């Protein structure tokens, strides 16, 4: 396989003064879980394609390198969050962040993918030229210089949120607080919370992870939530998986466990959607059992929405419930009136003293890593486009994104997307096509939100996210088994993707 080839710089200039631009068949943006998976598939299924991975940060791993807060972990099992091609061998199925980061690093090293990563390349802009059948990608380097590269296909593995800052709602008098305010996205390595009073604002996955982890050494941790989330306990170890791993070759065991977990996940998701009241009662009953009959689970653990209107929060080995039972942590359901010098004043009138306040208030959703898209000289607004198979965008040629499921592990979908992309590239090569563009020609396709979640971070991003259509292939299944059949076996040329040949002599 060749690395990028240098081509004459006719269309673009670079601040670095280089006189040529490197060209690749495929540029992957992002060296997280998805980007490394994408490179594996490209190497295996499209071995003649040249490619590079452009990574804005100085490190591999994306999410699993960025987030460093105490206790950071997955809430999916690693047999489905891990790659299908590289068995997860650690003892815990619900893994801590550093183990996941090691797994991504080891995968990249094992398959030689680490050598393909260009660190410190923050992609700012991609301009498509139909005449050249190529993207010109502009990236800012760590030293502030700009570099240009070209590629026939752009594969965005840039995740779904802004790496620069998390979501931080403003509250009155924040400046008056004499303690420390911390956002989990930028955890200070020097933060010493031993013996301190901590308030964690939030009720999502990050808050429920932080509370038991900090409660181990803090004087007390209060989880302050405006409204509750569904919280479900699950063992961090998978005993069936351990048994299978003991009996079978690693690959076979991994595949079987992966399918077991996919099917169990699908069963519970469908049950929750079909019988929300039964599911809700079941979840509350389990919380009550954990916390004892005197605990007000209706107030603190009963959301106003149905299960899976937002992602459920999983707590491994019931650690959150255990720290509440021990008295080291507590939950307050109330709203913030204002910050004070010594903590928080709540709308109920209660004062919550704190030495440290952690704002586990979520992420800022960002599409395509904040990259600006230009098509044949005109800026493209992807929020007006429809997603095709949850991976491409109407009227945007030769560009795909890796996205995960909202109701199952991210990698299940992002891995299928990588497989499909390889099929698509091989199909185009075999038929002599230079580019492909999903076209929305059927006026009866209605628009729906791309992600049907009531969560704050999705609602806040509704005007930047693209839409999905009312029917496939514009509509997402959110179902791994159905997607697998479609992504692996359905015809590529479905009459919706328009395939185009090179114009004479101009393509790169
Ligand atoms: C704390 C936390 C816990 C999570 N737990 C789970 C879980 O248990 N299960 C689950 O399914 N999902 C979970 N998720 C979602 C998680 O993000 C995905 O599982 C997965 O890690 C996404 O991988 P990715 O490679 O697609 O994106 P990311 O991990 O976000 O990686 C994207 C990479 O692209 C780079 N990048 C972005 N923009 C640019 C640009 N413009 N130029 C160059 N590089 C760029 C970033 O620097 C980063 O390295 C969690 C998310 C968070 C924040």
């Amino acid at each position: 396989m060749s690395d990028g080839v240098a081509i004459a710089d006719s269309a673009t200039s670079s601040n670095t003064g280089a006189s040529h631009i490197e060209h690749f068949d495929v540029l992957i943006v992002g060296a997280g879980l998805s980007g490394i998976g994408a490179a594996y598939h490209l190497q295996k299924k499209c071995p003649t394609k040249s490619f590079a991975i452009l990574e804005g940060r100085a490190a591999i791993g994306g999410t699993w390198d960025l987030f460093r807060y105490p206790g950071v972990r997955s809430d999916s099992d690693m047999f489905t969050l891990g790659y299908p091609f590289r068995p997860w061998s650690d003892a815990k199925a619900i893994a801590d962040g550093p183990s996941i980061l090691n797994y991504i690093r080891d995968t990249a090293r094992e398959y030689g993918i680490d050598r393909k990563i260009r660190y410190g390349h923050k992609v700012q802009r991609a301009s498509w030229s139909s005449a050249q059948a190529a993207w010109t990608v502009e990236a800012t380097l760590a030293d502030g210089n700009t570099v240009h590269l070209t590629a026939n296909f752009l594969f965005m593995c840039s995740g779904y949120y802004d790496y620069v800052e998390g979501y931080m709602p403003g509250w009155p008098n924040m400046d008056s607080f004499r303690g420390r305010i911390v956002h989990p996205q930028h955890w200070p390595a020097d933060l010493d919370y031993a013996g301190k009073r901590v308030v964690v604002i939030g009720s999502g996955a990050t808050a429920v992870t932080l509370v038991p982890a900090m409660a181990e050494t803090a004087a007390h941790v209060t989880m302050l939530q405006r409204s509750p989330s569904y919280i479900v306990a699950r063992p961090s170890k998978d005993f069936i998986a351990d048994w299978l791993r003991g009996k079978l070759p690693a690959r076979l065991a991994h595949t079987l466990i992966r399918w077991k977990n996919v099917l169990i996940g699908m069963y519970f998701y469908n049950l929750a959607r079909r019988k929300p009241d039964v599911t809700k009662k079941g979840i509350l009953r389990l919380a009550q059992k954990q916390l004892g009959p005197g605990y007000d689970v209706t107030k603190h653990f009963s959301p106003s929405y149905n299960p899976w209107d937002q992602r459920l929060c999983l707590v491994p080995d019931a650690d959150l419930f255990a720290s509440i039972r021990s008295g080291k942590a507590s939950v307050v359901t109330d709203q913030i009136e204002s910050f004070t010098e010594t903590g928080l004043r709540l709308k109920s009138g209660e004062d919550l003293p704190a030495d440290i306040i952690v704002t586990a208030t979520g992420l800022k959703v960002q599409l395509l890593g904040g990259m600006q898209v230009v098509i044949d000289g005109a800026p493209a607004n992807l929020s007006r486009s429809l997603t095709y198979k949850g991976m491409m965008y109407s009227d945007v040629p030769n560009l795909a994104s890796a996205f995960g499921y909202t109701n199952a592990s991210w990698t299940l979908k992002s891995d299928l997307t990588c497989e499909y992309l390889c099929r698509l590239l091989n199909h185009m090569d075999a038929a002599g096509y230079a580019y492909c563009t999903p076209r929305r020609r059927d006026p009866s396709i209605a628009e729906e939100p791309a992600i049907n979640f009531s969560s704050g971070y999705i609602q806040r991003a509704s005007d930047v996210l693209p839409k999905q259509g009312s029917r496939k292939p514009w509509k997402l299944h959110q179902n791994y088994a159905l997607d697998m059949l479609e992504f692996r076996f359905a015809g590529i040329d479905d009459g919706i993707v328009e395939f185009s040949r090179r114009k004479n002599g101009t393509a790169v």
Side-chain angles (χ1 to χ4, degrees):
M1 182 189 305
S2 64
D3 275 335
V5 290
I7 59 160
D9 181 3
S10 53
T12 345
S13 64
S14 156
N15 291 351
T16 56
S19 60
H20 64 270
I21 294 183
E22 244 182 310
H23 178 76
F24 295 89
D25 294 323
V26 182
L27 274 176
I28 297 169
V29 179
L33 200 52
S34 303
I36 303 306
Y40 167 85
H41 283 285
L42 268 180
Q43 287 188 167
K44 188 161 190 264
K45 301 191 177 96
C46 306
T48 60
K49 295 267 176 236
S50 61
F51 75 92
I53 304 177
L54 303 183
E55 169 53 55
R57 303 174 69 239
I60 199 172
T63 298
W64 303 104
D65 181 71
L66 178 74
F67 281 86
R68 302 287 177 120
Y69 58 77
V72 60
R73 56 163 171 79
S74 67
D75 57 7
S76 312
D77 70 275
M78 287 308 297
F79 302 101
T80 54
L81 188 60
Y83 302 113
F85 56 85
R86 193 165 184 276
W88 177 253
S89 55
D90 280 23
K92 284 195 171 181
I94 305 290
D96 58 77
S99 306
I100 302 173
L101 180 58
N102 280 339
Y103 173 78
I104 300 172
R105 281 190 186 139
D106 290 348
T107 307
R109 202 176 308 119
E110 187 175 321
Y111 293 100
I113 296 165
D114 50 351
R115 295 193 297 271
K116 300 284 187 178
I117 305 172
R118 312 260 174 119
Y119 292 105
H121 280 61
K122 169 84 180 154
V123 176
Q124 307 287 359
R125 185 180 153 101
S127 308
W128 169 258
S129 159
S130 295
Q132 295 197 313
W135 290 97
T136 299
V137 173
E138 182 182 308
T140 311
L141 303 179
D143 62 9
N145 278 318
T146 300
V147 68
H148 293 93
L149 302 119
T150 56
N152 300 108
F153 208 104
L154 209 47
F155 191 25
M156 302 303 295
C157 295
S158 45
Y160 63 99
Y161 60 86
D162 186 351
Y163 267 67
V164 177
E165 52 179 13
Y167 175 64
M168 177 72 131
W171 290 284
N173 299 338
M174 282 181 79
D175 290 348
S176 67
F177 179 57
R178 289 204 302 256
R180 221 159 152 183
I181 301 175
V182 174
H183 195 288
Q185 190 161 331
H186 300 287
W187 196 263
D190 67 341
L191 186 72
D192 178 11
Y193 52 87
K196 305 265 170 60
R197 294 163 305 173
V198 180
V199 174
V200 176
I201 304 172
S203 61
T206 302
V208 303
T209 304
L210 272 166
V211 170
M214 295 185 83
E216 282 176 19
T217 55
H220 186 82
V221 184
T222 307
M223 184 166 103
L224 171 62
Q225 56 180 14
R226 197 171 44 182
S227 53
S229 304
Y230 287 107
I231 297 180
V232 180
R234 179 176 171 177
S236 63
K237 286 194 170 180
D238 180 335
F239 295 105
I240 299 176
D242 288 346
W243 186 80
L244 285 170
R245 290 196 288 188
K247 299 271 174 223
L248 299 172
R251 274 269 180 138
L252 177 59
H254 187 71
T255 306
L256 290 177
I257 302 161
R258 193 174 164 89
W259 270 107
K260 167 185 84 67
N261 292 354
V262 164
L263 294 174
I264 290 174
M266 275 165 45
Y267 172 77
F268 281 113
Y269 175 78
N270 288 325
L271 182 71
R273 299 314 285 171
R274 275 190 290 109
K275 298 187 175 169
D277 291 339
V278 176
T279 308
K280 182 172 182 160
K281 276 191 198 135
I283 294 172
L284 289 188
R285 202 171 39 244
L286 289 174
Q288 193 81 67
K289 203 170 154 199
Q290 286 284 342
L291 294 166
Y295 193 92
D296 192 349
V297 290
T298 309
K299 181 171 183 191
H300 299 305
F301 290 96
S302 174
S304 53
Y305 55 84
N306 282 333
W308 283 113
D309 282 351
Q310 301 187 13
R311 214 174 154 109
L312 298 193
C313 290
L314 286 172
V315 290
D317 304 323
D319 58 0
L320 175 75
F321 296 128
S323 54
I324 295 172
R325 272 197 318 266
S326 74
K328 295 215 74 179
S330 54
V331 180
V332 172
T333 306
D334 205 329
Q335 291 191 45
I336 299 170
E337 175 84 33
S338 71
F339 278 57
T340 64
E341 286 187 7
T342 53
L344 295 165
R345 165 106 5 105
L346 304 180
K347 291 227 163 119
S348 63
E350 191 189 337
D351 278 316
L352 215 49
D355 304 306
I356 297 169
I357 296 178
V358 182
T359 54
T361 42
L363 306 160
K364 269 193 194 168
V365 171
Q366 190 180 56
L367 194 63
L368 304 184
M371 180 185 83
Q372 193 193 349
V373 177
V374 177
I375 297 174
D376 290 325
N381 183 350
L382 266 63
S383 68
R384 298 224 188 96
S385 64
L386 278 193
T387 54
Y388 170 82
K389 292 187 190 285
M391 62 176 280
M392 293 181 79
Y393 304 89
S394 55
D395 300 328
V396 181
N398 277 14
L399 183 145
S401 294
F403 272 109
Y405 290 118
T406 49
N407 63 352
S409 278
W410 180 273
T411 315
L412 292 171
K413 177 69 190 291
S414 89
D415 194 75
L416 284 180
T417 303
C418 298
E419 276 191 38
Y420 188 82
L421 178 70
C422 293
R423 285 185 68 207
L424 180 66
L425 293 174
N426 289 337
H427 172 83
M428 290 204 295
D429 282 354
Y433 294 127
Y435 60 98
C436 64
T437 319
R439 296 286 185 204
R440 178 186 175 182
R441 297 191 191 88
D442 180 352
S444 71
I445 301 282
E447 289 189 356
E448 296 179 2
I451 302 173
N452 207 1
F453 256 11
S454 62
S455 316
Y457 68 105
I458 299 297
Q459 294 306 313
R460 285 194 299 276
S462 58
D463 48 351
V464 298
L465 290 173
K467 309 285 176 288
Q468 66 171 326
S470 48
R471 285 201 300 279
K472 65 174 212 172
W474 301 104
K475 190 172 174 69
L476 292 170
H477 288 306
Q478 294 289 1
N479 179 312
Y480 177 68
L482 292 178
D483 278 344
M484 198 196 74
L485 291 175
E486 187 166 326
F487 279 54
R488 283 201 185 144
F489 304 112
I492 299 279
D493 196 349
D494 59 2
I496 288 174
V497 175
E498 179 185 280
F499 290 94
S500 309
R501 295 186 191 280
R502 291 179 190 285
K503 312 277 181 294
N504 278 346
T506 50
V508 289

